[in-house]
Amino acid sequence: MPYLELTFNIPVKQNYTYASSAAIPIGCRVKAELGSQKRSAWVVGQAESPPDFLNRLKTIESQIDTEPLFDLEFLELAKWLSELTMCSLGETLAAMLPGGRSESRKPDDAFHEHGSEIVEALSFDQSYALKNIEASENGWFYLYGITGSGKTEVFLRAAQAVIEKGNSVIYLVPEIALTHHLVGNLKSRFQGLVAILHSALSNSKRLSEWRRIQSGAARFVLGARSAVFAPLKRLGLIVIDEEHEASYKSDAAPRYHARQVAMRRCKKEGSLLLMGSATPSLEAWQLMKSGRLKSLELGGRPAGGAAPVSRIVDLRKEKTILSGQLMDAISRVLGKGRQVLLFLNRRGFSYQFFCHSCGEGVLCRNCSVPLIFHKSTSTMNCHYCGFRMKPIQICPNCSSLEIKFTGFGTERIEEDIRKIFPKKQVVRLDTDVAKKANVLEEALRGFREGSIDVLLGTQMIAKGLNAPGLKLVGLLFADSSLNLPDFRAAERTFALIVQVSGRSGRFLPDGEVIVQTLRPNTAAVQMAVEGRIEDFYEYELGIRKTLHLPPFSRIFRIVFEGKNKTKVNETSKQFASTLGRAAGGEILGPAECAVARISGRYRYHLMLRSDNFDVTHSALATILSKFLPRSGVRIKVDIDPSSLL
Ligand code: ADP
Ligand code: ZN
Ligand code: ZN
């Protein structure tokens, strides 16, 4: 009887040996009992001889896959990733592989394609970049080009050359829902070779796409973060578009960064790596400076645009978020039949409730974050745990009736703009609206084609929007990400202003941008508005160097969570003292997290700042394997965290 080594999707860093009546290949899923529960598991090893606890050996219930989902090379990548992120192999495989039992043969109709633009001649910068890329088999390149400089065309032509050689391509984007225009373009260039991995796919559809990739029928894979694991043979190129985006870092176990995995795969498989952005991450910037990434620059806007004219509005001098200057600009632009894009970094109608007697806000009862009023549902919602309640009439703290809203949100601004311009088409796009099927896609198309006059939205409109009639971009409140207690706050704010601003002036050289802020003197805001990209990087690198923060050090964040606050706090202190000097880094904390409670769980964290990644990593892994938290306390490790909240 053969013996199989199985791994389950549980946070236990251990594999289990089972007996099997048939030889099942590595890479297949099986059903097996763990404890008293039947679960699915992956076969990760085979053994000829039984383990020494033979009398308690369990037998596999059934086999799920007949063909393996992965091979030994993939398993090696999974093991590497599970060690790097300090997760179990099972948790890691669960994040890398598709779920689902049966394989769907239905066509994928989740995506409607749009006609694609044809670029006839490359600009000088584009051809120069492409020549460099094509001359290399396995180089690492960074396409650093202003917004609208035509990075996509370079990515696609580099991909085409790789496909023509019979090799395959992974093309990563931050968010697949925003890439409808790209999908049309890909399908016309690469036809049946394209596979799209996105979260809207059903499990069975994901599995059948996975099979098409494994078989070599699909050689161009488009997807978000996890598409970096696509099981392509003869991988010739990985593209990471908008490399600076935080969505490339997973916020659940395994907490990996797609860039990290891409670097590893490209090194092992001898492939080209091509990243790009108008606002690289500071990590990438530093790698370009050191020469480990070869920087290729794109200057102009080949579709006929030019950098927009930007100005700052000091909100401290304004009574409302729709400032006089902004309203004048909107009516002027709409009067000429052109379009306006308004960006607000925040959802909901009014920001939060506020008691004028005692000064308290109303927080979620499970999480320590303010509840946000949503007019469309007439509820106060928690954006962390989804808790909802009817708007309160009386302050829960002091029983006063003097409850008011403070702040503003997209719903409220939409209402105001509609009142002022009743004849114009105004559309709001945020995650609330975009949950409805096709709303996002139709709004983006309507704006592109000119049937929408004002598009108002949150984060999701910062990317991918390419509308010829767009003249004015307004950032209603550029500070909202500046106030976060996170060392990346300035970098994020800078990137956001540059990216959102870059939606205007893409086709015509008359773009305008208005950036409203309470902090007009902040370097990130000023340099973004003045388009001083390189100055900002030098400035911010200087600060990071002084404070010994990434990219001049690495950060390991350890989060402690549990229902009993005392136990969480004590565990964090014990952990810190166990770490002591052993990990070779500097310990910051432990302290309460900025979001001190989520879904009823109290949160503490500590940060380890290290100069020697390997030493700290292995010391931390050893301590974690031995450390016993107080009961009910969970420990999470996040290496190179992208958020510290
Ligand atoms: P970004 O660098 O911001 O990703 P895009 O790749 O979206 O820029 O390109 C911006 C616009 O310029 C697109 O509409 C694209 O079709 C157009 N474009 C790109 N290259 C050329 C070119 N060589 N000639 C004319 N238009 C181009
Ligand atoms: Zn009160
Ligand atoms: Zn909550």
Side-chain angles (χ1 to χ4, degrees), residues 117-124 126 143 145-155 157 171 181 185 241-242 277-278 298 300-304 448 464-466 499 502-503 506-507:
E117 305 144 53
I118 292 159
V119 169
E120 274 152 25
L122 290 183
S123 70
F124 179 83
Q126 285 172 320
L143 209 51
I146 60 166
T147 50
S149 60
K151 294 184 280 296
T152 314
E153 191 61 29
V154 177
F155 291 148
R157 294 209 185 189
Y171 195 113
H181 58 288
N185 205 331
D241 193 7
E242 307 291 2
S277 173
L298 302 186
R301 287 185 164 167
R448 208 175 153 84
L465 204 73
N466 221 357
Q499 295 285 349
R503 299 301 122 201
R506 288 170 88 83
F507 296 87

Side-chain angles (χ1 to χ4, degrees), residues 355 357-358 395 397-398 400:
C355 172
S357 295
C358 72
C395 173
N397 190 46
C398 73
S400 157

